Amino acid sequence: GAVVSQHPSWVICKSGTSVKIECRSLDFQATTMFWYRQFPKQSLMLMATSNEGSKATYEQGVEKDKFLINHASLTLSTLTVTSAHPEDSSFYICSAVGGSYEQYFGPGTRLTVT
Amino acid sequence: DAKTTQPPSMDCAEGRAANLPCNHSTISGNEYVYWYRQIHSQGPQYIIHGLKNNETNEMASLIITEDRKSSTLILPHATLRDTAVYYCIVGTGANSKLTFGKGITLSVRP
């Protein structure tokens, strides 16, 4: 089956620093990837849609200058949380479009900002 | 807002069938019904999807009512590893944005 990886799986950073999260489709090409955020005991919330070679489309209320998304190749999208603050601590999950109907999700990245 | 409603939780005995209901009364003609599940602290896992016909794969069966306003996901022989939050979502295809509701927490008991 289609496999999506994320790196790192967890990260702790200090307030004010930036953190980059990678999302890779390992055995397929993905023209579209999605980024989600999940707070404890809550459901996934879509942050942005990432299309290879073009600018990401952000959901309402998501700061595009804070959450930088780059989809430079058909197998890699990155999410950079700039000037992270404790309220950005969350579980970040990406998904990649692997066919006509399915999205395949990565294992998630746990970000803790101290 | 999610376009589906699900009960918050249910449980079933190991080895028995788990029938998870979902209402999607406002589904459009070109929207599919997707089911994903999320085991604690992991990314969601795709289970199955359907448009109007019933579907079956190695994981589960999906029964969609004739009016398409509701569906049921069936795990034929639940195991302890099936304990997870199950999300019923409607969408127009792989490139469509998926709106996750609260899902239904399935607890499989020994």
Side-chain angles (χ1 to χ4, degrees), chain B residues 66-78:
Chain B
E66 192 169 344
D67 63 9
R68 304 212 318 128
K69 293 184 177 181
S70 65
S71 61
T72 301
L73 178 74
I74 301 173
L75 306 179
H77 305 287

Side-chain angles (χ1 to χ4, degrees), chain B residues 51-70:
Chain B
L51 184 62
K52 51 185 177 181
N53 297 323
N54 297 337
E55 302 288 345
T56 295
N57 62 21
E58 64 277 5
M59 290 184 68
S61 295
L62 174 60
I63 309 298
I64 303 173
T65 58
E66 192 169 344
D67 63 9
R68 304 212 318 128
K69 293 184 177 181
S70 65

Side-chain angles (χ1 to χ4, degrees), chain A residues 57-108:
Chain A
T57 303
Y58 292 82
E59 294 299 298
Q60 190 173 10
V62 177
E63 300 174 58
K64 62 180 180 181
D65 294 330
K66 181 171 183 62
F67 299 99
L68 302 180
I69 292 172
N70 184 282
H71 193 158
S73 77
L74 288 173
T75 59
L76 174 65
S77 177
T78 60
L79 168 68
T80 301
V81 183
T82 62
S83 187
H85 292 286
E87 57 264 31
D88 298 324
S89 298
S90 189
F91 192 48
Y92 292 86
I93 307 168
C94 70
S95 71
V97 176
S100 299
Y101 303 105
E102 303 95 44
Q103 287 184 30
Y104 297 96
F105 286 80

Side-chain angles (χ1 to χ4, degrees), chain A residues 38 43 59 99-101 103 105, chain B residues 32 34 36 38 94 96-97 101:
Chain A
Q38 186 175 33
S43 189
E59 294 299 298
S100 299
Y101 303 105
Q103 287 184 30
F105 286 80
Chain B
Y32 293 80
Y34 291 87
Y36 286 82
Q38 186 177 26
S96 66
K97 298 189 291 187

Side-chain angles (χ1 to χ4, degrees), chain B residues 28-102:
Chain B
S28 301
N30 63 341
E31 288 183 313
Y32 293 80
V33 179
Y34 291 87
W35 283 83
Y36 286 82
R37 72 180 182 184
Q38 186 177 26
I39 296 171
H40 183 63
S41 295
Q42 297 182 25
Q45 177 188 22
Y46 166 82
I47 301 173
I48 199 168
H49 75 277
L51 184 62
K52 51 185 177 181
N53 297 323
N54 297 337
E55 302 288 345
T56 295
N57 62 21
E58 64 277 5
M59 290 184 68
S61 295
L62 174 60
I63 309 298
I64 303 173
T65 58
E66 192 169 344
D67 63 9
R68 304 212 318 128
K69 293 184 177 181
S70 65
S71 61
T72 301
L73 178 74
I74 301 173
L75 306 179
H77 305 287
T79 71
L80 298 178
R81 287 177 294 182
D82 292 323
T83 292
V85 179
Y86 287 76
Y87 297 98
C88 169
I89 303 167
V90 297
T92 54
N95 286 316
S96 66
K97 298 189 291 187
L98 300 180
T99 300
F100 285 78
K102 296 182 179 180

Side-chain angles (χ1 to χ4, degrees), chain A residues 6-8 19-23 35 77-81 92 109:
Chain A
Q6 284 185 238
H7 179 80
V19 174
K20 180 185 285 188
I21 302 169
E22 294 184 348
C23 176
W35 285 95
S77 177
T78 60
L79 168 68
T80 301
V81 183
Y92 292 86
T109 296

